[in-house]
C-alpha cells in the first residue's frame, strides 16, 4: 500500500487536474478520499510524530484545492 504521503500527493495532483469546469462527481470522490486520508492520519499517526505535521499541511493544501474546485462549479455573476 502506498504511504500516506504519496496518497496525499496523488490526491493533490488529481485535484489540480480537475480543470476549469470540474465534474461534480469527481469533486465528491476526491472529497471522500481526502476525508478518509485525514481520518487515517488522526487514527494512525501520533500527535507527537513530526510526520503528522507534514501530513496535516498536505491535507490543508488538498482542502484548498477542493474548495477552489467547488467554487468553480458555482455560476459566475454576469457583468454588464
Amino acid at each position: 500500500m502506498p504511504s500516506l504521503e504519496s496518497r496525499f500527493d496523488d490526491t493533490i495532483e488529481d485535484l489540480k487536474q480537475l480543470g476549469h469546469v470540474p465534474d461534480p462527481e469527481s469533486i465528491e470522490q476526491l472529497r471522500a478520499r481526502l476525508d478518509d486520508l485525514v481520518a487515517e492520519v488522526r487514527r494512525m499517526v501520533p500527535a507527537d510524530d513530526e510526520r503528522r505535521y507534514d501530513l496535516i499541511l498536505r491535507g490543508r493544501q488538498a482542502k484548498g484545492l477542493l474548495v477552489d474546485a467547488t467554487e468553480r462549479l458555482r455560476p459566475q455573476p454576469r457583468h454588464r
Side-chain angles (χ1 to χ4, degrees):
M1 174 180 255
S3 69
L4 280 166
E5 289 84 358
S6 67
R7 290 187 284 155
F8 269 109
D9 290 345
D10 289 346
T11 301
I12 289 167
E13 191 57 37
D14 289 345
L15 285 161
K16 288 178 179 179
Q17 300 299 318
L18 285 175
H20 245 355
V21 183
D23 172 47
E25 186 175 320
S26 295
I27 290 176
E28 286 309 311
Q29 290 171 352
L30 290 166
R31 183 186 316 277
R33 186 192 318 170
L34 180 57
D35 288 346
D36 290 346
L37 285 169
V38 169
E40 189 172 345
V41 168
R42 289 183 180 144
R43 274 193 328 270
M44 306 297 289
V45 182
D48 61 349
D49 188 332
E50 290 179 23
R51 182 175 168 232
R52 186 176 175 131
Y53 179 74
D54 178 60
L55 292 167
I56 289 170
L57 289 179
R58 290 173 198 226
R60 288 181 182 166
Q61 180 184 2
K63 180 68 173 181
L65 292 167
L66 188 62
V67 168
D68 289 345
T70 302
E71 285 295 316
R72 291 194 305 272
L73 287 177
R74 294 188 181 154
Q76 299 301 313
R78 297 182 78 166
H79 297 284
R80 292 182 188 241

